[in-house]
């Protein structure tokens, strides 16, 4: 009986808490996903032009080291009820994806 309970608990944990790649930011554009390291061309092909572009500094991971760098921020929002996604661009690639407000 105890073994059966453990098996059920493991199945429930796996079902309701799926494993995610902790280090990788991603954003779904329709049925496709963009991730850290993808090129700007790939981002534009899947998500289109952002609603807003801005520039600024951010702490991003470059070659495995956190570094303060000048980045472009591309702002995407699917609809009025969805959260904004801010895609940080560094040297023509996606450096990070942040979640903004509504």
């Amino acid at each position: 009986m105890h073994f059966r309970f453990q098996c059920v608990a493991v199945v429930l944990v796996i079902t309701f808490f799926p494993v995610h790649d902790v280090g990788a930011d991603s954003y779904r554009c329709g049925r496709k996903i963009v991730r850290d390291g993808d090129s700007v061309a790939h981002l534009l092909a899947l998500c289109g032009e952002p609603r807003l572009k801005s520039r600024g500094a951010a702490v991003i991971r470059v070659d495995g080291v956190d570094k303060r760098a000048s980045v472009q921020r591309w702002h995407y929002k699917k609809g009025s009820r969805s959260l904004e996604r801010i895609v940080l661009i560094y040297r023509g690639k996606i450096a990070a994806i942040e979640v903004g407000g509504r």
Side-chain angles (χ1 to χ4, degrees), residues 26-89:
S26 64
Y27 173 53
R28 181 178 298 279
C29 293
R31 300 176 92 183
K32 305 291 184 175
I33 295 176
V34 293
R35 294 183 171 83
D36 288 359
D38 286 351
S39 69
V40 169
H42 185 70
L43 173 63
L44 287 170
L46 296 184
C47 303
E49 285 290 329
R51 66 179 188 83
L52 174 71
K53 290 182 183 179
S54 61
R55 291 190 155 277
V59 176
I60 57 172
R61 186 165 285 277
V62 178
D63 298 327
V65 178
D66 288 342
K67 155 182 177 174
R68 187 164 186 80
S70 177
V71 296
Q72 291 182 21
R73 286 186 168 83
W74 290 19
H75 301 256
Y76 287 93
K77 189 166 179 174
K78 294 179 185 173
S80 62
R81 300 184 75 169
S82 66
L83 295 173
E84 179 180 50
R85 296 295 193 267
I86 302 138
V87 180
L88 278 59
I89 308 293

